[in-house]
């Protein structure tokens, strides 16, 4: 068929033929990254309030190490410097929020560098990494500095009955269940930016509202955690904690809103997002209740990151006219 005939067909059918992508966001990648950074401001404020201004220094060192590591890698690879897109800064910020208060500045910098070099740039940079880089950095720190990564500080406004132990550790080893109110406010032990459920929810709702975060992943994780947590709670409410304790304690909400939702390492299909979120929550509950560690959010997300290509393949919509 001639070009003129093709054009006639296109005009008659009312179709405009063009190459992908066909779905566009109103935000650029740079805008998305800096908006996510901005959404973490409530968590930063809560960190300073409950654990002191020094935590901002720890987080700042983590961010600086991430940015400098990316610059060095780009120079070595003779690639374009892309630090202005905010992705390296975000990796450092997230890592700084999920390490213990008063953490060693040197160790924070090492973990942040590992997150960028191994978790991100080794795979080709932004858009190619398989695993969430900040969680890769935390997993490294967990293996390299196990004592430091499980040494917690007592919050500034703690009452006499509050210890420096995290609520999950207190339950795991002493069978003590922390009340819901301090978990929501953040006046409990834990990582620098994960203790205040209220602060995290504020940032997460903001991202959902401007359509940077797809609501299906955090909702599926929350529903999954409530479902799986309730099953064991109904079986034995004395032995197992109630689902609200699961929801507001530890790093679950920070992971649900800011890490599991990473565009690169999460499924792109609607059905895939539900499967992904539910399975993360299942892993979290199993580790918390039956594993040797009190927390399982990091491992739940990293494990399911590995299954994202398979989930995408199994849930990808069938192309019209595609042969079986």
């Amino acid at each position: 068929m001639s070009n003129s005939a093709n054009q006639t067909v296109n005009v008659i059918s009312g179709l405009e033929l063009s190459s992908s992508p066909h779905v566009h966001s109103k935000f650029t990648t740079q805008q998305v990254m800096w908006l996510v950074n901005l959404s973490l401001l409530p968590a930063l404020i809560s960190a300073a309030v409950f654990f002191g201004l020094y935590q901002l220094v720890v987080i700042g060192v983590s961010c600086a190490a991430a940015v400098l590591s990316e610059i060095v890698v780009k120079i070595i690879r003779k690639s374009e410097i892309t630090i202005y897109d905010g992705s390296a800064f975000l990796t450092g910020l997230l890592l700084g929020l999920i390490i213990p208060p008063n953490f060693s500045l040197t160790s924070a910098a090492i973990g942040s560098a590992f997150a960028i070099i191994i978790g991100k740039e080794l795979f080709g940079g932004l858009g190619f990494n398989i695993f969430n880089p900040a969680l890769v950095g935390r997993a490294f720190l967990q293996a390299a500095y196990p004592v430091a990564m499980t040494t917690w500080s007592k919050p500034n406004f703690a009452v006499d009955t509050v210890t420096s132990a995290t609520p999950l550790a207190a339950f795991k080893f002493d069978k003590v269940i922390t009340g819901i109110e301090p978990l929501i406010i953040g006046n409990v032990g834990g990582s620098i930016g994960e203790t205040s459920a209220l602060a995290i929810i504020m940032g997460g709702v903001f991202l959902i509202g401007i359509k940077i975060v797809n609501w299906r992943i955090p909702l599926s994780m929350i529903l999954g955690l409530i479902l799986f947590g309730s099953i064991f709670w109904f079986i034995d409410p004395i032995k197992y904690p109630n689902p609200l304790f699961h929801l507001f304690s530890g790093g679950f909400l920070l992971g649900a809103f800011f890490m599991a939702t990473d565009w690169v390492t999460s499924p792109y299909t609607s059905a895939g997002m539900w499967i992904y979120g539910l399975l993360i929550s299942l892993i979290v509950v199993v580790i918390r209740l039956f594993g040797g560690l009190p927390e399982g959010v990091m491992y739940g997300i990293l494990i399911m990151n590995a299954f994202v290509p398979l989930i995408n393949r199994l849930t990808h919509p069938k192309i019209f006219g595609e042969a079986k």
Side-chain angles (χ1 to χ4, degrees):
M1 187 180 291
S2 65
N3 290 336
S4 59
N6 279 332
Q7 293 172 357
T8 302
V9 171
N10 290 340
V11 170
I12 293 174
S13 63
L15 297 176
E16 179 183 352
L17 302 181
S18 64
S19 61
S20 61
H22 302 293
V23 179
H24 300 272
S25 170
K26 62 182 178 180
F27 299 115
T28 64
T29 299
Q30 180 174 339
Q31 289 172 332
V32 166
M33 293 299 169
W34 286 112
L35 282 170
V36 176
N37 282 311
L38 178 64
S39 69
L40 288 164
L41 182 59
L44 280 171
I45 294 173
S46 71
V49 168
F50 292 115
F51 297 108
L53 292 175
Y54 180 73
Q55 312 319 316
L56 301 182
V57 177
V58 176
I59 295 170
V61 168
S62 179
C63 293
V67 172
L68 289 174
S69 296
E70 182 159 306
I71 291 175
V72 170
V73 172
K74 294 297 186 183
I75 291 175
I76 293 174
R77 294 173 57 190
K78 298 181 179 179
S79 302
E80 179 185 359
I81 303 296
T82 57
I83 58 169
Y84 301 106
D85 64 15
S87 62
F89 186 91
L90 178 58
T91 296
L93 176 56
L94 285 171
L95 180 62
L97 290 170
I98 58 177
I99 55 179
N102 304 309
F103 198 65
S104 161
L105 298 181
T106 302
S107 299
I110 292 172
S112 195
F114 188 92
I116 292 295
I117 297 170
I118 304 299
K120 180 183 177 185
E121 293 299 328
L122 184 66
F123 292 96
L126 180 63
F128 298 96
N129 50 288
I130 300 173
F131 302 100
N132 182 283
L135 290 179
V136 170
R138 193 187 192 284
F140 168 76
L141 290 175
Q142 187 76 45
Y145 308 101
V147 175
M149 288 295 288
T150 52
T151 300
W152 311 101
S153 299
K154 194 173 182 179
N156 289 335
F157 305 102
V159 295
D160 292 339
T161 56
V162 175
T163 67
S164 60
T166 69
L168 289 173
F171 162 74
K172 187 76 174 180
F173 304 115
D174 300 316
K175 300 303 177 185
V176 174
I177 297 181
T178 306
I180 300 301
E181 183 179 345
L183 293 176
I184 293 176
I185 296 173
N187 193 29
V188 293
S191 294
I192 291 176
E194 73 177 16
T195 63
S196 176
L198 181 60
I200 295 166
I201 290 172
M202 288 172 59
V205 169
F206 168 73
L207 292 180
I208 292 174
I210 61 176
K211 300 186 185 305
I212 285 179
V213 162
N214 192 302
W215 56 269
R216 292 175 179 83
I217 293 176
L219 181 59
S220 62
M221 286 181 63
I222 291 170
L223 293 178
L225 193 77
I226 292 174
L227 171 63
F228 300 128
S230 296
I231 291 174
F232 293 102
W233 185 51
F234 286 136
I235 292 173
D236 190 342
I238 304 239
K239 183 178 180 181
Y240 302 113
N242 66 74
L244 290 181
F245 174 80
H246 277 296
L247 180 62
F248 294 117
S249 61
F252 181 79
L253 288 175
L254 191 63
F257 284 111
F258 293 96
M259 298 188 183
T261 54
D262 176 20
W263 287 2
V264 180
T265 59
S266 62
Y268 58 74
T269 66
S270 295
M273 292 177 186
W274 285 100
I275 295 170
Y276 172 76
L278 289 171
L279 290 178
I280 288 175
S281 292
L282 177 60
I283 295 171
V284 170
V285 171
V286 169
I287 291 177
R288 284 182 175 184
L289 297 183
F290 306 106
L293 298 172
E295 178 62 290
V297 173
M298 175 180 71
Y299 297 107
I301 295 175
L302 288 175
I303 289 171
M304 290 312 302
N305 283 165
F307 284 93
V308 165
L310 178 61
I311 293 174
N312 283 335
R313 181 177 178 182
L314 295 177
T315 59
H316 185 76
K318 182 180 177 181
I319 300 173
F320 180 74
E322 180 183 11
K324 292 184 179 180

